[in-house]
Amino acid sequence: MMESGVPLCNTCGERVEVDEKGGVFVACQECNFPICKACVEYEIKEGRKVCLRCGTPFEANSTADAERNELGSRSTMAAHLNDPQDVGIHARHISSVSTLDSEYNDESGNPIWKNRVESWKDKKNKKKKAPTKADKEAQVPPEQQMEEKQIADAAEPLSTIIPIPKSKLTPYRTVIIMRLIILALFFHYRVTHPVDSAYGLWLTSIICEIWFAYSWVLDQFPKWSPVNRITHVDRLSARYEREGEPSELASVDFFVSTVDPLKEPPLITANTVLSILAVDYPVDKVSCYLSDDGAAMLTFESLVETADFARKWVPFCKKFSIEPRAPEFYFSQKIDYLKDKIQPSFVKERRAMKRDYEEFKVRVNALVAKAQKTPEEGWTMQDGTPWPGNNSRDHPGMIQVFLGNSGAHDIEGNELPRLVYVSREKRPGFQHHKKAGAENALVRVSAVLTNAPYILNLDCDHYVNNSNAVREAMCFLMDPQVGRDVCYVQFPQRFDGIDRSDRYANRNIVFFDVNMKGLDGIQGPVYVGTGCVFNRQALYGYGPPSMPTLPKPSSCSWCGCCSCCCPSKKPTEDLSEVYRDSKREDLNAAIFNLGEIDNYDEYERSMLISQMSFEKTFGLSSVFIESTLMENGGVPESGNPSMLIKEAIHVISCGYEEKTAWGKEIGWIYGSVTEDILTGFKMQCRGWRSIYCMPLRPAFKGSAPINLSDRLHQVLRWALGSVEIFLSRHCPLWYGFGGGRLKWLQRLAYINTIVYPFTSLPLVAYCSIPAICLLTGKFIIPTLSNLASMLFLGLFLSIIITSVLELRWSGVSIEDWWRNEQFWVIGGVSAHLFAVFQGFLKMLAGLDTNFTVTAKAADDAEFGELYIIKWTTLLIPPTTLLIVNMVGVVAGFSDALNKGYEAWGPLFGKVFFAFWVILHLYPFLKGLMGRQNRTPTIVILWSVLLASVFSLVWVKIDPFVSNANADSLTQSCISIDC
């Protein structure tokens, strides 16, 4: 092993050479740019004799060394090529800027190094005799010219960062700074000018406005440096898929998770699986794992049908290059399906395939109809044995492998990707951790069976819309310049079946097209739960390879450990977090040791693994632990398929995770219903970064709840997860400071993701203030001076201009922005409010409150679900706010009519404020009424009752009237002779 602390070459990724005295090789004395001697020699021989960072010419000794090495390059390089073990690792990690990145060939050596030698020979010959341009063209055959062009393309970077033009970004940043200054002046004015006649209202409004300003800062500054990225899939193919050679693309394991087939239709899950099996990627590099966490026989039988239909569907997709490759959505497209199709047989085969798919749908629908009523004796399989998952809460682990290299081939005799059904063991008394636990079970099963270095997880209702999606991700993960520190590549979520106006902001366009681009310019986007390609090593809790090795704690002189027998030397939690990633060196040593002990018996191997304390982290499976040490993936050749299946069953047992780091430090992290945010946060705290990939054709598409009640419950779940993280030890406010690896703007973004539900408290208060002002005749702002008027005008203009400039650089439409603003208020006064109370009850008192939803039928054909009215308690707060503000507007106008002309001026500000609330809640009001104004009676009764009680109590108490005014009012009332 090399000494720790040695920097890595910024070109090839290998460690920089160390001389006999322990000194590190330095090519540029000006900036100490880390680059190894081999790369310096190559740059000099190519005529580039200046530093890649600062442009300073290399030192004379470096140039002299390169020239001396060039004299013997023919003999030394030839001998070097004959020993691929010496050059393979270095050549594999060479920079995409300088040369083609490929793995070596054991028989003939690395072809790229041979090309380099030949190019050096040609340059020397050209120096001796410079041929004419015509001679050059005559000497190079067309085939060689084409090959050289392909090599040049492959040497280019696989992705490009496109920064936002300064003409768009500079005004945007300037307005943000100006808005900060105006906010400071605004708060100075508000605090120094209290309203004595309504002091309570004034103080409440000040607190709310300060919180809104704090939330705006958390949301705004992570968007300071947005970037766009483009990928070059053609260069990826030129680099890793050379003609006549096996594909060198990395393998990918797809994860699809489902629970209840009656709520998540098997036909939708089948379309997701079919779209995965038909991706444009080498079939031997793709494996699909379906997690059935409900152990439903319906899911298993529908997967059997899906595997059989895939034998026809996959070759059809690849033959005609159709998009998308989910049959339900392909055949339902309202486009010209003959566009760009030139094969005469396409129409005939498409018609036959559509008929086959309709027959497949009928078979799946028959299974669904059969499963509506469970037999008293439970389900029985075709061979007469009881289905093991008849009790979904008490059943053994189940694994079934379909298709793959040893399974059925397609109708043309070609191999299909592997398809694996997984249902983890469940027993009473064990905590199974819902989706996060299911994903971790898939991580272990896939590591034992296929162990691809990358993992792509999808929800069961998200299908592959772009068959090149995996290649798009590999342009980042397999790029030596970019991929070393990338823990995952996140794709935006796109949806089908949403109404044209997107009434409830289901598309989340502002988040995916604005916020995520901003985070991509810092340390990468947050993980959003689906459509994400992971580096498996990052899921195992390791730090990025380029992070410097951190010092380990002093070990005990008695036992060599840091805390097991010496409590006084036990490191703090933050310190352990700092040096936890330093185990990378130990793991590298472990890889070497495990490779050298092939002749050891099972006992010796298990002893070695146990001594490394891996079992305490990963669990009691030597096969799985050995897979975690294989950074490039793969399964040991000595692995027996039956033995691997047996081991896979073992790693999904319900007690496997006990006393391990699963869910705490590795895999999907437990402790929140939004395990996605928590998992990505832990990775980035270790120093990893993520990438946001937005191909022109959306990579994945899914379905979203489009009616009001379901949408609010979805938002409630997300907000509840954020509250749980806020109340946990993983809260970004205090977690992850140990290594200083999470950038500050990235931390602000994570803080925003966990505190936004608490905005509901000031938001509800602020939306109530207009009605209170109209009912009492008071206001939160005193009579405005000219300076104050300018401040208010400047604040409103800065808000508008910031939004306009943000839309300008992001490309988001103003309609999408306005829908996002509206639903921010709707969700804030309903789902977020309930999430705060439910989160505190759950985390502090252990009470788990469920909000039930009861569906009613819809009569409308198109987007019928949009108009379904469902009773839920989430509807009461916004309905109450709407009624109260409408009552306030009526009361305000009545009061102005009675008082005369002088009352219309103050009324304008109050009514404007009330209409601001009503306009933001308008989509809620529209959804509440439905197309035929069918609002649940109980919602109306509760809302009117609360509004009436609130108004009557307010008139009776009148708390915001000063004591002096109250006394004078009382005296005047007493003096009246009734």
Side-chain angles (χ1 to χ4, degrees), residues 374-525:
T374 305
E376 294 182 0
E377 65 278 6
W379 297 107
T380 304
M381 294 187 289
Q382 292 182 353
D383 59 358
T385 58
W387 171 247
N390 277 324
N391 187 343
S392 61
R393 298 182 180 180
D394 186 4
H395 64 85
M398 294 179 283
I399 295 178
Q400 177 65 48
V401 180
F402 303 94
L403 309 178
N405 54 2
S406 59
H409 289 193
D410 65 25
I411 57 175
E412 298 179 358
N414 299 317
E415 182 181 341
L416 288 169
R418 181 177 300 195
L419 176 61
V420 184
Y421 170 87
V422 179
S423 182
R424 57 181 173 146
E425 181 186 18
K426 286 190 175 181
R427 301 296 181 192
F430 288 89
Q431 178 62 262
H432 300 292
H433 301 291
K434 299 182 180 178
K435 180 183 176 181
E439 296 287 349
N440 285 337
L442 290 182
V443 171
R444 297 190 294 271
V445 169
S446 62
V448 172
L449 298 181
T450 52
N451 196 32
Y454 302 108
I455 293 171
L456 196 160
N457 86 293
L458 289 172
D459 289 342
C460 64
D461 60 346
H462 277 67
Y463 64 91
V464 181
N465 184 64
N466 183 346
S467 60
N468 280 318
V470 181
R471 295 177 181 269
E472 298 274 356
M474 290 302 131
C475 286
F476 301 106
L477 294 169
M478 296 189 70
D479 191 330
Q481 291 282 10
V482 178
R484 291 177 59 84
D485 295 339
V486 175
C487 55
Y488 59 83
V489 175
Q490 178 67 60
F491 291 89
Q493 291 185 18
R494 300 294 188 236
F495 300 98
D496 286 320
I498 297 177
D499 58 298
R500 298 178 187 88
S501 63
D502 191 16
R503 180 185 293 177
Y504 308 123
N506 281 282
R507 294 190 179 95
N508 283 326
I509 292 294
V510 173
F511 174 75
F512 286 112
D513 289 16
V514 180
N515 296 69
M516 296 287 264
K517 284 183 180 179
L519 291 176
D520 199 19
I522 309 171
Q523 201 171 338

Side-chain angles (χ1 to χ4, degrees), residues 947-969:
S948 303
V949 171
F950 177 78
S951 302
L952 291 173
V953 171
W954 191 272
V955 172
K956 177 65 177 177
I957 299 175
D958 208 4
F960 294 112
V961 178
S962 63
N963 293 331
N965 292 338
D967 293 340
S968 61
L969 184 61

Side-chain angles (χ1 to χ4, degrees), residues 696-710:
L696 293 178
R697 180 180 180 85
F700 310 100
K701 280 191 174 183
S703 57
I706 63 173
N707 70 73
L708 178 61
S709 302
D710 288 348

